[in-house]
């Protein structure tokens, strides 16, 4: 059974500092891994999707890496801004789970001005 | 492309009542998913459709839950005899599954259910 863990559960940083968010998964047989952003009371916005054959994806200030063998992904957000405050969720689409996403519990981020 | 829409956005009901939620996926997306998210947790898979066929249901989906996707377009999720434990955010997502690559799932804004 695929399990996804995100540590820490909450993170507070001053504006301008780089953010590093961690995600680990137990079954390395994945199709892809996605990072999502969720604002309070809202739905999920997809940030980055990394296919199993890829090692990283970049979009603007965001960079996500994937190490399948160790079951880890890291989301880097450069030069954080107060508008980056949100909950960040990672999710894997794995063979074990079969056509559905298994989510971590999320990391709640607060960027202080 | 107007995105995934869900209706209603909020629903308050009394225990024992039936509720129905609707999801309209992105047009031409052949897959549609339902997830449930409780406070402080990540979403959990409930069920998914490919076109009009319901291909999988989670053990979380008790007999009180039923989902349909007539004609492979919009989907409805009905909860009968609601319980306080059903209080959660119900999220819908859609994707276009290609032959080789698993496509991004696009999520709707969710329906927040509160059972009193």
């Amino acid at each position: 059974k695929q399990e996804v863990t995100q540590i820490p559960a909450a993170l507070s940083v001053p504006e301008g500092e780089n953010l590093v968010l961690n995600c680990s998964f137990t079954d390395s047989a994945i199709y892809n891994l996605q990072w999502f952003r969720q604002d309070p009371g809202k739905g999920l916005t997809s940030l980055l999707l990394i296919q199993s054959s890829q090692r990283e994806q970049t979009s603007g200030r965001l960079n996500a890496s994937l190490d399948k063998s160790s079951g880890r992904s890291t989301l880097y957000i450069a030069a954080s801004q107060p508008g980056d405050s949100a909950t960040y969720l990672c999710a894997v689409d794995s063979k074990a789970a079969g056509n559905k996403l298994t989510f971590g519990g999320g990391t709640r981020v607060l960027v202080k001005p | 492309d107007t995105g995934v829409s869900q209706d209603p956005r909020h629903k308050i009901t009394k225990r024992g009542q039936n509720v129905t939620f609707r999801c309209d996926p992105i047009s031409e997306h052949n897959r549609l998913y339902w997830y449930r998210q409780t406070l402080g947790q990540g979403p959990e898979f409930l069920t998914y459709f490919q076109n009009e066929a319901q291909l999988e249901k989670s053990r979380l989906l008790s007999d009180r839950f039923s989902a349909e996707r007539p004609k492979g377009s919009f989907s409805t999720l009905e909860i009968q005899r609601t319980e306080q434990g059903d209080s959660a955010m119900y999220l819908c997502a859609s994707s276009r599954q290609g032959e080789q690559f698993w496509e991004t799932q696009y999520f709707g804004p969710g329906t927040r259910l509160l059972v009193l």
Side-chain angles (χ1 to χ4, degrees):
Chain A
K1 178 187 173 184
Q2 178 72 270
E3 293 182 359
V4 181
T5 304
Q6 292 183 250
I7 296 174
L11 185 61
S12 179
V13 299
E15 181 177 3
E17 192 167 298
N18 296 333
L19 282 164
V20 181
L21 307 179
N22 298 305
C23 172
S24 62
F25 48 94
T26 55
D27 186 343
S28 61
I30 66 170
Y31 294 123
N32 62 57
L33 182 145
Q34 282 185 258
W35 283 94
F36 293 89
R37 169 183 172 139
Q38 186 174 34
D39 292 294
K42 307 291 186 181
L44 278 62
T45 300
S46 180
L47 298 174
L48 291 167
L49 180 148
I50 312 176
Q51 299 286 358
S52 62
S53 58
Q54 299 172 321
R55 294 194 63 86
E56 67 175 345
Q57 278 286 338
T58 298
S59 176
R61 294 185 295 111
L62 276 60
N63 174 277
S65 66
L66 174 64
D67 184 342
K68 269 200 325 178
S69 61
S70 65
R72 293 181 183 179
S73 177
T74 303
L75 177 66
Y76 300 90
I77 303 177
S80 62
Q81 304 168 358
D84 294 328
S85 299
T87 296
Y88 292 83
L89 295 151
C90 75
V92 297
D93 189 351
S94 59
K95 294 178 182 178
N99 302 312
K100 53 193 179 288
L101 297 177
T102 303
F103 284 84
T107 295
R108 191 172 65 255
V109 171
L110 175 63
V111 180
K112 300 177 183 177
Chain B
D1 186 348
T2 58
V4 179
S5 62
Q6 292 186 246
D7 184 70
R9 296 289 307 277
H10 304 274
K11 179 71 177 179
I12 300 174
T13 191
K14 293 182 179 179
R15 187 177 54 189
Q17 297 295 306
N18 299 343
V19 295
T20 300
F21 310 141
R22 176 179 170 125
C23 171
D24 287 89
I26 294 172
S27 58
E28 298 181 357
H29 275 192
N30 56 355
R31 288 205 170 179
L32 187 148
Y33 303 79
W34 285 99
Y35 293 84
R36 182 172 69 185
Q37 185 179 26
T38 53
L39 204 60
Q41 303 296 317
E44 295 177 289
F45 168 80
L46 292 179
T47 187
Y48 87 96
F49 295 82
Q50 177 147 326
N51 300 313
E52 65 275 10
Q54 187 174 17
L55 296 187
E56 188 172 347
K57 295 193 292 185
S58 162
R59 286 172 294 178
L60 292 175
L61 218 62
S62 75
D63 292 343
R64 296 184 298 106
F65 289 71
S66 63
E68 296 181 343
R69 193 184 182 196
K71 302 178 183 179
S73 55
F74 71 92
S75 175
T76 59
L77 177 67
E78 180 183 15
I79 309 174
Q80 296 181 329
R81 304 180 304 280
T82 52
E83 302 173 354
Q84 289 181 328
D86 298 331
S87 296
M89 172 82 90
Y90 290 83
L91 294 162
C92 175
S94 70
S95 70
R96 184 193 63 205
Q97 294 306 127
E99 291 184 357
Q100 296 182 357
F101 295 103
W102 303 98
E103 300 278 349
T104 298
Q105 291 186 23
Y106 294 88
F107 281 76
T111 294
R112 183 169 293 282
L113 172 66
L114 177 61
V115 182
L116 301 176

